[in-house]
Amino acid sequence: MRRIVIVGGGYAGFYTAWKLEKQLSPHEAELVIIDPRPYMTYQPFLPEVSAGSIEARHAAVSLRKHLERTKVVAGTVTSIEHATKTVTVRPADAPDYALPYDVIVVTAGAVTRKLPVPGADDVAIGMKHVEEAVAIRDRLLTAFDRAAALPDGPERRRLLTVVFVGGGFSGVEGFSELLSLATDLLRQYPELSFSDLSFHLVEANQRILPEVTDRPGAWVVRHLEQRGGRIHLGARAVSLEGGHVVLSNGEEFDANLIVWTAGNGAHPVIAKHTDLPIDERGRIVVRPDLRVGTEDAPVEDAWAAGDNAAVPDLAVAGATTVPNAQHAVRQGKRLAANIVAVLDGRRPRPYRHASLGAVATLGLGRGIFQYKGLVITGLLAWVMHRGYHVLAIPTWERKFRVLLVWISALFAGRDIVSLLSVQTPREAFVAAGVPSVAPVTRAQAPRDSHEPSARAA
């Protein structure tokens, strides 16, 4: 029985394992998936998690619950040696060990692209994981509580200043959703006004949303500026030290919340710790059928998909597929089918998928959709965004939970409770204090009422 090891439990990895379970009988292959997190994050929902429109756990799909025949290993892969067909696994609480395999599937995804900006490591938060989206929401909600107790002045303005660095889909959606949340919150805080809010989106290029064409992208900029957002095009973050933001265009201001969404970077294990072929951007070289290698030099028993793979885009000559959920999900399904085909002695099929268009949420009731020359904005685009993603998130259980939250929000509004203290759970216990008492010795300890006394003995 072959052991198929899947490195990474994101979209492509989860769907590969999920479909392999359905297409292979238990005696045909042993399936193993390795990821430090016990769940798949549905990243398109993270902006709505940060805005309180979706419950955080509903944007995560449990690996153990939904992969019934796949062994889930909680750990990080630190190296892949295909020459010996072993991966090195680092668990959280045990020494590293080598895990042999017969077939390797690399779906480790990408990491947040970090630039050498002073202070970024100390103050910025990414937005690739559920924990980060929750922290962003809780920090903004807590900032409103603190600002409402302060008089008008620099500290109040600092608390209500939010900066997003990066104008791709994650940055624009996160910025728009948080701006929508902040605007709605003003109704609950009569001490604050719209003029107290200061939202900045910083993008090094002269346009945002590279996935859409120029005119829709320019419309989004105007739309966000009409809602009070500041869009800094052609500007870079020069320094973020101490929360003091310095931009390359000369502007400076203090911010309480800085979110880093400046694109994807190569996964360090893929870029530096594998003998599989990689390209100049640190992605695994794959053929159109998702097997590792080139048409002339395929690598046997090695497959890759998702953001860590340079998958040829057969719909656009000479291009590779863009790193998004739409491609990763479909690549995972095709990859599973191709592995089964090879095991059965059949030829694998190439991955071919024409884009369904680009859709983005711009806050509650607002969105944009583009398919070729067709552009839809406003409420209809927002409904299309929600409809597409509730269909795309795997498992009926998750679809049902997300729909219930959305329906309840129509009548009850957003949940605006901050649970920032969850990040420091022992703080309240420690702050409560314990009276100082002398240690009790055995001689001083009270005798159990059921213990016979020495006299009675």
Side-chain angles (χ1 to χ4, degrees):
M1 185 167 64
R2 293 194 171 197
R3 174 182 289 165
I4 301 174
V5 170
I6 302 168
V7 179
Y11 305 123
F14 175 84
Y15 272 94
T16 299
W18 203 28
K19 295 301 180 182
L20 284 175
E21 285 192 350
K22 299 178 186 298
Q23 299 177 50
L24 294 175
S25 61
H27 67 272
E28 287 184 277
E30 175 192 1
L31 304 177
V32 179
I33 192 166
I34 308 170
D35 198 287
R37 287 179 170 82
Y39 54 81
M40 183 209 83
T41 302
Y42 192 72
Q43 291 181 357
F45 277 160
L46 294 186
E48 293 197 65
V49 170
S50 68
S53 298
I54 290 180
E55 169 60 35
R57 285 184 175 86
H58 298 170
V61 179
S62 170
L63 298 180
R64 292 185 181 273
K65 181 174 182 179
H66 297 289
L67 299 179
E68 298 176 355
R69 291 198 294 108
T70 301
K71 179 180 180 181
V72 178
V73 176
T76 303
V77 171
T78 59
S79 68
I80 303 171
E81 286 189 28
H82 194 62
T84 59
K85 288 193 172 182
T86 58
V87 295
T88 302
V89 181
R90 176 169 296 167
D93 303 301
D96 294 6
Y97 66 91
L99 178 68
Y101 61 81
D102 297 293
V103 178
I104 185 78
V105 177
V106 185
T107 53
V111 297
T112 300
R113 181 168 66 99
K114 294 174 64 177
L115 301 175
V117 177
D121 280 346
D122 300 321
V123 298
I125 303 175
M127 201 164 70
K128 267 192 172 295
H129 304 290
V130 173
E131 300 93 335
E132 294 172 323
V134 172
I136 291 168
R137 180 194 65 196
D138 286 346
R139 287 197 179 191
L140 180 67
L141 295 174
T142 300
F144 265 75
D145 285 329
R146 294 171 59 190
L150 294 174
D152 185 23
E155 182 60 15
R156 174 190 275 191
R157 287 193 293 274
R158 184 192 71 82
L159 285 170
L160 299 180
T161 298
V162 177
V163 179
F164 275 73
V165 180
F169 255 79
S170 294
V172 171
E173 289 190 316
F175 178 85
S176 303
E177 285 286 349
L178 224 62
L179 178 59
S180 176
L181 170 62
T183 305
D184 287 350
L185 282 174
L186 291 174
R187 290 178 293 181
Q188 313 294 328
Y189 291 86
E191 306 92 339
L192 304 175
S193 66
F194 185 79
S195 61
D196 291 318
L197 303 180
S198 184
F199 275 66
H200 301 261
L201 176 63
V202 181
E203 170 53 49
N205 296 313
Q206 292 295 334
R207 52 162 298 177
I208 60 174
L209 293 178
E211 293 86 350
V212 303
T213 53
D214 289 345
R215 290 184 63 185
W219 178 87
V220 173
V221 171
R222 293 194 303 272
H223 172 77
L224 293 175
E225 288 178 338
Q226 290 168 2
R227 289 166 53 188
R230 292 283 309 279
I231 313 300
H232 305 270
L233 298 178
R236 293 175 294 102
V238 176
S239 174
L240 303 176
E241 288 189 297
H244 183 71
V245 180
V246 181
L247 302 182
S248 59
N249 61 9
E251 294 190 58
E252 298 185 29
F253 46 85
D254 291 324
N256 177 57
L257 178 58
I258 301 173
V259 185
W260 189 275
T261 57
N264 294 324
H267 195 289
V269 173
I270 309 305
K272 300 177 182 179
H273 302 289
T274 181
D275 55 358
L276 295 171
I278 61 172
D279 67 3
E280 67 281 357
R281 293 173 58 185
R283 300 175 301 173
I284 295 179
V285 176
V286 300
R287 297 150 40 112
D289 61 8
L290 304 178
R291 284 194 284 192
V292 175
T294 62
E295 294 290 349
D296 299 327
V299 178
E300 293 296 322
D301 299 323
W303 305 76
D307 294 355
N308 64 196
V311 180
D313 190 343
L314 299 183
V316 183
T320 56
T321 57
V322 296
N324 62 22
Q326 189 179 135
H327 280 297
V329 168
R330 287 162 177 78
Q331 287 169 11
K333 295 178 181 179
R334 170 49 45 202
L335 198 158
N338 282 351
I339 290 177
V340 174
V342 170
L343 293 178
D344 290 345
R346 295 180 284 113
R347 293 189 63 180
R349 292 171 51 191
Y351 171 75
R352 184 188 297 272
H353 174 67
S355 173
L356 298 177
V359 62
T361 174
L362 300 177
L364 200 61
R366 308 176 181 95
I368 183 169
F369 168 80
Q370 181 178 18
Y371 177 71
K372 297 182 179 180
L374 174 65
V375 178
I376 300 173
T377 60
L379 179 61
L380 178 57
W382 177 77
V383 172
M384 294 170 68
H385 173 273
R386 284 201 162 183
Y388 171 79
H389 285 299
V390 79
L391 291 174
I393 191 171
T395 79
W396 285 104
E397 174 251 350
R398 275 297 179 261
K399 299 179 199 294
F400 181 69
R401 290 181 185 273
V402 170
L403 278 173
L404 281 182
V405 172
W406 281 342
I407 292 170
S408 65
L410 287 175
F411 302 97
R414 308 177 198 249
D415 192 332
I416 62 169
V417 175
S418 170
L419 297 178
L420 187 63
S421 58
V422 167
Q423 299 174 38
T424 53
R426 296 188 64 253
E427 192 173 78
F429 175 75
V430 173
V434 178
S436 178
V437 295
V440 178
T441 65
R442 183 172 180 82
Q444 296 170 324
R447 185 181 293 116
D448 190 295
S449 60
H450 297 288
E451 180 182 345
S453 65
R455 181 175 301 173

